[in-house]
Amino acid sequence: MKAGKTLTAWWNDSVDYRWLVRTLAARSTLGPAKFMIGVAGAAIAIMGAVIAGTPVGPPGQPGVAATIGVASGILWALRWWLLPWPSKTESLVLIICADLLFTIQFLLLPNRLFGAMGVVLLVVTGSYVSFFHGARALAVHSAWSVLSVIVFSVRIVTGGDDVRLALAVGLLLLAAVVSALAYQVMNWLLRAESLSDPLTELLNRRGLEIRLPPLVDGHPAVSVMTFDLDEFKKINDTYGHRAGDAVLVSTARRLLDAAGETAVVARTGGEEFVVAVPMTAAAARTEAERLRRVVAEPSETAVQVTASVGVAVFDTTTRPRCPRPTTDRLLQSSDAAMYRAKQSGGNQVEVDELAPPGNDHHPPAR
């Protein structure tokens, strides 16, 4: 049951392509990555030139397959070396073209066994897809790879070779293709673990920083709410840290269940939680008050808890000319509003509707 839930989460997870690219750039590895991907294209171009006129290559000089290999390899290398990193859409188009060209190029080779071995190159594109794109893109790539394996195996048999040889080659290529799928699942699991809080299983601060930008960019109005549990230290001191952990887990579950499917819910540290939801300024306070009451509802234990809530709202439906704020500004504003709620006695909501830059509130010193 748990395995099925994990696979469902993997299938539905949308990889944040822009975040991955920004992370590589921040670590100064985007340039080397572009260079190495371009080198792969150059290697294919050289291979196309080398096999021309050889026993495994196409007859004549230079041959259709060799020409395709050289031209496509050169264009691939120049694109990665000379142009900026591709957008998500262009990235997928490049991989689709590479998959098609690999299969077509090696189908044109007269040596059917050597042609079949060219399917291994689909593992290279599969590794790229498994890192930069989601499970569904990889599923399409894997389906094409499996189809290519079947076609090349049948081609070996129809060429007069032993059926067992075709089966062995097909199984070898299939194992290589499946490895890319396994790599993607493991990579997703590790990424998901690194972005989640181990105690509450909510997103952690890094996970929030990944999930929040698409939410802000994709909706005309978003409310970011910061919840800080009141006098949480007293709970730990009075009942012990185990009871404190139980309160955190219970609060996380309540917020996640009450916030709805469109919300992003995270534990950003200690007793602090963030809920971000597509919502207009008019509805933000009512929703924050509702969630505050949900947190304060009596629990199955003797430990009761309340929360101070700070809300930052941007709403282009009421301020169409107001520039869209950064996620950092939203989080800082909600954090500042939360501290105002706490300084006013706690267990209440403060709302900060973001004004244009230069007119917004400045958060107090922590």
Side-chain angles (χ1 to χ4, degrees):
M1 191 72 177
K2 189 174 181 180
K5 185 178 179 181
T6 299
L7 287 176
T8 300
W10 165 71
W11 178 255
N12 292 324
D13 182 60
S14 56
V15 175
D16 193 332
Y17 179 84
R18 290 187 298 175
W19 176 81
L20 287 170
V21 174
R22 288 197 302 267
T23 301
L24 289 175
R27 301 294 186 274
S28 300
T29 56
L30 200 61
K34 285 180 58 192
F35 176 77
M36 288 186 288
I37 295 174
V39 166
I44 292 172
I46 295 171
M47 181 197 68
V50 168
I51 66 172
T54 67
V56 300
Q61 294 291 336
V64 176
T67 301
I68 292 176
V70 172
S72 60
I74 291 174
L75 290 174
W76 177 275
L78 291 176
R79 189 264 164 264
W80 284 96
W81 286 342
L82 302 180
L83 298 179
W85 192 275
S87 66
K88 183 176 182 179
T89 300
E90 184 188 357
S91 173
L92 287 170
V93 170
L94 286 170
I95 293 300
I96 291 171
C97 291
D99 282 355
L100 291 172
L101 285 170
F102 286 155
T103 300
I104 293 171
Q105 178 185 0
F106 285 97
L107 277 175
L108 293 173
L109 294 179
N111 187 303
R112 303 187 179 204
L113 181 59
F114 182 80
M117 299 312 296
V119 176
V120 174
L121 287 175
L122 293 176
V123 177
V124 178
T125 52
S127 299
Y128 177 92
V129 173
S130 67
F131 185 81
F132 286 103
H133 299 283
R136 301 184 186 196
L138 183 62
V140 174
H141 165 82
S142 298
W144 175 258
S145 299
V146 170
L147 177 62
S148 298
V149 168
I150 294 172
V151 169
F152 279 102
S153 298
V154 171
R155 188 168 178 258
I156 291 174
V157 174
T158 57
D161 288 313
D162 195 316
V163 174
R164 292 171 297 178
L165 176 62
L167 181 60
V169 170
L171 290 174
L172 176 64
L173 297 175
L174 186 61
V177 169
V178 170
S179 67
L181 185 62
Y183 169 80
Q184 206 277 346
V185 174
M186 291 186 291
N187 180 62
W188 173 81
L189 282 171
L190 290 174
R191 185 170 60 86
E193 285 294 318
S194 70
L195 301 179
S196 63
D197 170 51
L199 177 64
T200 63
E201 297 184 352
L202 296 178
L203 294 172
N204 58 19
R205 184 81 185 195
R206 181 179 296 178
L208 177 65
E209 290 173 350
I210 292 174
R211 292 287 302 278
L212 188 53
L215 189 75
V216 172
D217 293 341
H219 296 86
V222 169
S223 298
V224 175
M225 311 173 191
T226 298
F227 294 74
D228 192 86
L229 301 186
D230 298 322
E231 300 183 340
F232 185 74
K233 185 177 183 300
K234 288 185 179 180
I235 296 176
N236 282 330
D237 292 343
T238 304
Y239 300 99
H241 287 280
R242 187 180 295 274
D245 287 348
V247 168
L248 293 174
V249 172
S250 175
T251 301
R253 185 174 63 248
R254 290 181 175 192
L255 287 174
L256 190 63
D257 291 343
E261 294 183 357
T262 59
V264 173
V265 185
R267 179 191 175 202
T268 53
E271 64 273 21
E272 188 172 287
F273 299 84
V274 170
V275 176
V277 60
M279 184 169 292
T280 62
R285 179 177 289 276
T286 301
E287 177 66 4
E289 290 284 3
R290 184 182 73 85
L291 293 177
R292 180 190 61 79
R293 290 193 296 270
V294 166
V295 172
E297 286 176 356
S299 66
E300 58 277 8
T301 68
V303 182
Q304 300 299 311
V305 67
T306 61
S308 299
V309 187
V311 184
V313 185
F314 87 89
D315 190 346
T316 58
T317 63
T318 58
R319 292 180 175 179
R321 295 184 180 180
C322 183
R324 196 173 292 268
T326 64
T327 55
D328 284 343
R329 184 163 176 257
L330 278 168
L331 291 170
Q332 289 170 5
S333 295
S334 66
D335 195 53
M338 179 272 293
Y339 272 95
R340 294 199 301 273
K342 190 169 286 292
Q343 290 165 0
S344 298
N347 194 25
Q348 58 185 281
V349 173
E350 287 283 341
V351 178
D352 182 8
E353 185 173 355
L354 268 63
N359 298 322
D360 52 321
H361 298 287
H362 296 283
R366 301 189 61 162

PDB file of all heavy atoms in Angstrom, residues 231-253:
ATOM      1  N   GLU A 231       4.157  29.968  22.852  1.00  0.00           N
ATOM      2  CA  GLU A 231       4.747  29.413  24.065  1.00  0.00           C
ATOM      3  C   GLU A 231       5.062  27.924  23.919  1.00  0.00           C
ATOM      4  O   GLU A 231       4.817  27.110  24.816  1.00  0.00           O
ATOM      5  CB  GLU A 231       3.810  29.638  25.257  1.00  0.00           C
ATOM      6  CG  GLU A 231       3.547  31.126  25.518  1.00  0.00           C
ATOM      7  CD  GLU A 231       2.674  31.364  26.731  1.00  0.00           C
ATOM      8  OE1 GLU A 231       1.968  30.425  27.151  1.00  0.00           O
ATOM      9  OE2 GLU A 231       2.712  32.485  27.268  1.00  0.00           O
ATOM     10  N   PHE A 232       5.626  27.576  22.796  1.00  0.00           N
ATOM     11  CA  PHE A 232       5.921  26.166  22.540  1.00  0.00           C
ATOM     12  C   PHE A 232       7.019  25.647  23.470  1.00  0.00           C
ATOM     13  O   PHE A 232       7.025  24.472  23.841  1.00  0.00           O
ATOM     14  CB  PHE A 232       6.327  25.976  21.073  1.00  0.00           C
ATOM     15  CG  PHE A 232       6.541  24.541  20.690  1.00  0.00           C
ATOM     16  CD1 PHE A 232       5.454  23.690  20.523  1.00  0.00           C
ATOM     17  CD2 PHE A 232       7.819  24.032  20.503  1.00  0.00           C
ATOM     18  CE1 PHE A 232       5.643  22.358  20.173  1.00  0.00           C
ATOM     19  CE2 PHE A 232       8.012  22.711  20.152  1.00  0.00           C
ATOM     20  CZ  PHE A 232       6.922  21.868  19.982  1.00  0.00           C
ATOM     21  N   LYS A 233       7.932  26.519  23.860  1.00  0.00           N
ATOM     22  CA  LYS A 233       9.009  26.101  24.760  1.00  0.00           C
ATOM     23  C   LYS A 233       8.439  25.579  26.084  1.00  0.00           C
ATOM     24  O   LYS A 233       8.960  24.624  26.667  1.00  0.00           O
ATOM     25  CB  LYS A 233       9.977  27.253  25.012  1.00  0.00           C
ATOM     26  CG  LYS A 233      11.201  26.890  25.845  1.00  0.00           C
ATOM     27  CD  LYS A 233      12.144  28.064  25.974  1.00  0.00           C
ATOM     28  CE  LYS A 233      13.403  27.674  26.733  1.00  0.00           C
ATOM     29  NZ  LYS A 233      13.106  27.184  28.108  1.00  0.00           N
ATOM     30  N   LYS A 234       7.352  26.201  26.541  1.00  0.00           N
ATOM     31  CA  LYS A 234       6.739  25.747  27.789  1.00  0.00           C
ATOM     32  C   LYS A 234       6.197  24.324  27.668  1.00  0.00           C
ATOM     33  O   LYS A 234       6.192  23.556  28.628  1.00  0.00           O
ATOM     34  CB  LYS A 234       5.620  26.695  28.205  1.00  0.00           C
ATOM     35  CG  LYS A 234       6.112  28.043  28.727  1.00  0.00           C
ATOM     36  CD  LYS A 234       4.948  28.878  29.224  1.00  0.00           C
ATOM     37  CE  LYS A 234       5.438  30.219  29.772  1.00  0.00           C
ATOM     38  NZ  LYS A 234       4.303  31.058  30.278  1.00  0.00           N
ATOM     39  N   ILE A 235       5.713  23.998  26.463  1.00  0.00           N
ATOM     40  CA  ILE A 235       5.203  22.642  26.238  1.00  0.00           C
ATOM     41  C   ILE A 235       6.333  21.634  26.383  1.00  0.00           C
ATOM     42  O   ILE A 235       6.202  20.598  27.050  1.00  0.00           O
ATOM     43  CB  ILE A 235       4.542  22.531  24.848  1.00  0.00           C
ATOM     44  CG1 ILE A 235       3.317  23.432  24.776  1.00  0.00           C
ATOM     45  CG2 ILE A 235       4.188  21.086  24.520  1.00  0.00           C
ATOM     46  CD1 ILE A 235       2.655  23.472  23.420  1.00  0.00           C
ATOM     47  N   ASN A 236       7.483  21.937  25.748  1.00  0.00           N
ATOM     48  CA  ASN A 236       8.631  21.045  25.866  1.00  0.00           C
ATOM     49  C   ASN A 236       9.109  20.944  27.315  1.00  0.00           C
ATOM     50  O   ASN A 236       9.444  19.859  27.810  1.00  0.00           O
ATOM     51  CB  ASN A 236       9.767  21.528  24.969  1.00  0.00           C
ATOM     52  CG  ASN A 236       9.556  21.177  23.508  1.00  0.00           C
ATOM     53  OD1 ASN A 236       8.926  20.172  23.188  1.00  0.00           O
ATOM     54  ND2 ASN A 236      10.078  22.003  22.618  1.00  0.00           N
ATOM     55  N   ASP A 237       9.151  22.089  27.993  1.00  0.00           N
ATOM     56  CA  ASP A 237       9.654  22.092  29.373  1.00  0.00           C
ATOM     57  C   ASP A 237       8.701  21.369  30.331  1.00  0.00           C
ATOM     58  O   ASP A 237       9.132  20.720  31.286  1.00  0.00           O
ATOM     59  CB  ASP A 237       9.865  23.531  29.851  1.00  0.00           C
ATOM     60  CG  ASP A 237      10.999  24.234  29.114  1.00  0.00           C
ATOM     61  OD1 ASP A 237      11.809  23.522  28.483  1.00  0.00           O
ATOM     62  OD2 ASP A 237      11.055  25.476  29.141  1.00  0.00           O
ATOM     63  N   THR A 238       7.395  21.473  30.072  1.00  0.00           N
ATOM     64  CA  THR A 238       6.402  20.896  30.985  1.00  0.00           C
ATOM     65  C   THR A 238       6.121  19.421  30.691  1.00  0.00           C
ATOM     66  O   THR A 238       6.065  18.594  31.613  1.00  0.00           O
ATOM     67  CB  THR A 238       5.076  21.679  30.895  1.00  0.00           C
ATOM     68  OG1 THR A 238       5.319  23.057  31.162  1.00  0.00           O
ATOM     69  CG2 THR A 238       4.046  21.133  31.887  1.00  0.00           C
ATOM     70  N   TYR A 239       5.964  19.103  29.431  1.00  0.00           N
ATOM     71  CA  TYR A 239       5.546  17.743  29.063  1.00  0.00           C
ATOM     72  C   TYR A 239       6.663  16.910  28.442  1.00  0.00           C
ATOM     73  O   TYR A 239       6.489  15.702  28.260  1.00  0.00           O
ATOM     74  CB  TYR A 239       4.376  17.809  28.079  1.00  0.00           C
ATOM     75  CG  TYR A 239       3.163  18.506  28.641  1.00  0.00           C
ATOM     76  CD1 TYR A 239       2.901  19.839  28.333  1.00  0.00           C
ATOM     77  CD2 TYR A 239       2.263  17.839  29.472  1.00  0.00           C
ATOM     78  CE1 TYR A 239       1.775  20.481  28.831  1.00  0.00           C
ATOM     79  CE2 TYR A 239       1.143  18.478  29.974  1.00  0.00           C
ATOM     80  CZ  TYR A 239       0.902  19.803  29.654  1.00  0.00           C
ATOM     81  OH  TYR A 239      -0.205  20.434  30.156  1.00  0.00           O
ATOM     82  N   GLY A 240       7.776  17.544  28.070  1.00  0.00           N
ATOM     83  CA  GLY A 240       8.873  16.818  27.444  1.00  0.00           C
ATOM     84  C   GLY A 240       8.874  16.966  25.936  1.00  0.00           C
ATOM     85  O   GLY A 240       7.857  17.319  25.326  1.00  0.00           O
ATOM     86  N   HIS A 241      10.025  16.667  25.336  1.00  0.00           N
ATOM     87  CA  HIS A 241      10.178  16.856  23.887  1.00  0.00           C
ATOM     88  C   HIS A 241       9.345  15.857  23.085  1.00  0.00           C
ATOM     89  O   HIS A 241       8.941  16.162  21.954  1.00  0.00           O
ATOM     90  CB  HIS A 241      11.652  16.739  23.508  1.00  0.00           C
ATOM     91  CG  HIS A 241      12.462  17.921  23.941  1.00  0.00           C
ATOM     92  ND1 HIS A 241      12.491  19.096  23.245  1.00  0.00           N
ATOM     93  CD2 HIS A 241      13.258  18.110  25.023  1.00  0.00           C
ATOM     94  CE1 HIS A 241      13.281  19.976  23.854  1.00  0.00           C
ATOM     95  NE2 HIS A 241      13.758  19.388  24.949  1.00  0.00           N
ATOM     96  N   ARG A 242       9.084  14.688  23.637  1.00  0.00           N
ATOM     97  CA  ARG A 242       8.251  13.729  22.908  1.00  0.00           C
ATOM     98  C   ARG A 242       6.840  14.287  22.717  1.00  0.00           C
ATOM     99  O   ARG A 242       6.244  14.180  21.646  1.00  0.00           O
ATOM    100  CB  ARG A 242       8.208  12.403  23.655  1.00  0.00           C
ATOM    101  CG  ARG A 242       7.491  11.290  22.873  1.00  0.00           C
ATOM    102  CD  ARG A 242       7.483  10.006  23.688  1.00  0.00           C
ATOM    103  NE  ARG A 242       8.834   9.505  23.878  1.00  0.00           N
ATOM    104  CZ  ARG A 242       9.487   8.724  23.017  1.00  0.00           C
ATOM    105  NH1 ARG A 242       8.868   8.369  21.898  1.00  0.00           N
ATOM    106  NH2 ARG A 242      10.700   8.311  23.274  1.00  0.00           N
ATOM    107  N   ALA A 243       6.308  14.906  23.773  1.00  0.00           N
ATOM    108  CA  ALA A 243       4.991  15.535  23.668  1.00  0.00           C
ATOM    109  C   ALA A 243       5.034  16.722  22.707  1.00  0.00           C
ATOM    110  O   ALA A 243       4.085  16.953  21.943  1.00  0.00           O
ATOM    111  CB  ALA A 243       4.521  15.989  25.048  1.00  0.00           C
ATOM    112  N   GLY A 244       6.141  17.475  22.747  1.00  0.00           N
ATOM    113  CA  GLY A 244       6.293  18.584  21.810  1.00  0.00           C
ATOM    114  C   GLY A 244       6.294  18.112  20.371  1.00  0.00           C
ATOM    115  O   GLY A 244       5.662  18.731  19.497  1.00  0.00           O
ATOM    116  N   ASP A 245       6.987  16.991  20.108  1.00  0.00           N
ATOM    117  CA  ASP A 245       6.990  16.429  18.752  1.00  0.00           C
ATOM    118  C   ASP A 245       5.592  16.003  18.331  1.00  0.00           C
ATOM    119  O   ASP A 245       5.188  16.185  17.175  1.00  0.00           O
ATOM    120  CB  ASP A 245       7.937  15.234  18.678  1.00  0.00           C
ATOM    121  CG  ASP A 245       9.403  15.641  18.717  1.00  0.00           C
ATOM    122  OD1 ASP A 245       9.686  16.850  18.574  1.00  0.00           O
ATOM    123  OD2 ASP A 245      10.260  14.757  18.897  1.00  0.00           O
ATOM    124  N   ALA A 246       4.832  15.432  19.275  1.00  0.00           N
ATOM    125  CA  ALA A 246       3.457  15.015  18.962  1.00  0.00           C
ATOM    126  C   ALA A 246       2.590  16.213  18.598  1.00  0.00           C
ATOM    127  O   ALA A 246       1.746  16.133  17.694  1.00  0.00           O
ATOM    128  CB  ALA A 246       2.862  14.260  20.155  1.00  0.00           C
ATOM    129  N   VAL A 247       2.806  17.332  19.275  1.00  0.00           N
ATOM    130  CA  VAL A 247       2.064  18.552  18.957  1.00  0.00           C
ATOM    131  C   VAL A 247       2.413  19.031  17.549  1.00  0.00           C
ATOM    132  O   VAL A 247       1.533  19.440  16.775  1.00  0.00           O
ATOM    133  CB  VAL A 247       2.360  19.653  19.993  1.00  0.00           C
ATOM    134  CG1 VAL A 247       1.829  21.008  19.516  1.00  0.00           C
ATOM    135  CG2 VAL A 247       1.741  19.296  21.342  1.00  0.00           C
ATOM    136  N   LEU A 248       3.687  18.991  17.215  1.00  0.00           N
ATOM    137  CA  LEU A 248       4.110  19.425  15.877  1.00  0.00           C
ATOM    138  C   LEU A 248       3.502  18.533  14.795  1.00  0.00           C
ATOM    139  O   LEU A 248       3.025  19.030  13.765  1.00  0.00           O
ATOM    140  CB  LEU A 248       5.637  19.387  15.783  1.00  0.00           C
ATOM    141  CG  LEU A 248       6.396  20.401  16.647  1.00  0.00           C
ATOM    142  CD1 LEU A 248       7.893  20.146  16.576  1.00  0.00           C
ATOM    143  CD2 LEU A 248       6.082  21.830  16.213  1.00  0.00           C
ATOM    144  N   VAL A 249       3.498  17.224  15.021  1.00  0.00           N
ATOM    145  CA  VAL A 249       2.927  16.299  14.040  1.00  0.00           C
ATOM    146  C   VAL A 249       1.422  16.529  13.910  1.00  0.00           C
ATOM    147  O   VAL A 249       0.872  16.549  12.794  1.00  0.00           O
ATOM    148  CB  VAL A 249       3.220  14.841  14.445  1.00  0.00           C
ATOM    149  CG1 VAL A 249       2.457  13.865  13.550  1.00  0.00           C
ATOM    150  CG2 VAL A 249       4.719  14.562  14.368  1.00  0.00           C
ATOM    151  N   SER A 250       0.749  16.728  15.046  1.00  0.00           N
ATOM    152  CA  SER A 250      -0.690  16.968  15.017  1.00  0.00           C
ATOM    153  C   SER A 250      -1.023  18.277  14.299  1.00  0.00           C
ATOM    154  O   SER A 250      -1.958  18.342  13.491  1.00  0.00           O
ATOM    155  CB  SER A 250      -1.234  17.006  16.448  1.00  0.00           C
ATOM    156  OG  SER A 250      -2.597  17.359  16.463  1.00  0.00           O
ATOM    157  N   THR A 251      -0.242  19.320  14.579  1.00  0.00           N
ATOM    158  CA  THR A 251      -0.464  20.608  13.916  1.00  0.00           C
ATOM    159  C   THR A 251      -0.249  20.489  12.415  1.00  0.00           C
ATOM    160  O   THR A 251      -1.021  21.041  11.617  1.00  0.00           O
ATOM    161  CB  THR A 251       0.477  21.675  14.503  1.00  0.00           C
ATOM    162  OG1 THR A 251       0.242  21.805  15.910  1.00  0.00           O
ATOM    163  CG2 THR A 251       0.265  23.018  13.822  1.00  0.00           C
ATOM    164  N   ALA A 252       0.801  19.787  12.017  1.00  0.00           N
ATOM    165  CA  ALA A 252       1.085  19.598  10.591  1.00  0.00           C
ATOM    166  C   ALA A 252      -0.067  18.881   9.908  1.00  0.00           C
ATOM    167  O   ALA A 252      -0.506  19.277   8.814  1.00  0.00           O
ATOM    168  CB  ALA A 252       2.376  18.804  10.426  1.00  0.00           C
ATOM    169  N   ARG A 253      -0.586  17.834  10.538  1.00  0.00           N
ATOM    170  CA  ARG A 253      -1.688  17.078   9.952  1.00  0.00           C
ATOM    171  C   ARG A 253      -2.942  17.939   9.831  1.00  0.00           C
ATOM    172  O   ARG A 253      -3.652  17.899   8.822  1.00  0.00           O
ATOM    173  CB  ARG A 253      -1.965  15.832  10.788  1.00  0.00           C
ATOM    174  CG  ARG A 253      -3.029  14.915  10.185  1.00  0.00           C
ATOM    175  CD  ARG A 253      -3.175  13.619  10.964  1.00  0.00           C
ATOM    176  NE  ARG A 253      -3.625  13.865  12.328  1.00  0.00           N
ATOM    177  CZ  ARG A 253      -2.890  13.670  13.403  1.00  0.00           C
ATOM    178  NH1 ARG A 253      -1.644  13.242  13.286  1.00  0.00           N
ATOM    179  NH2 ARG A 253      -3.380  13.907  14.619  1.00  0.00           N
TER     180      ARG A 253
END
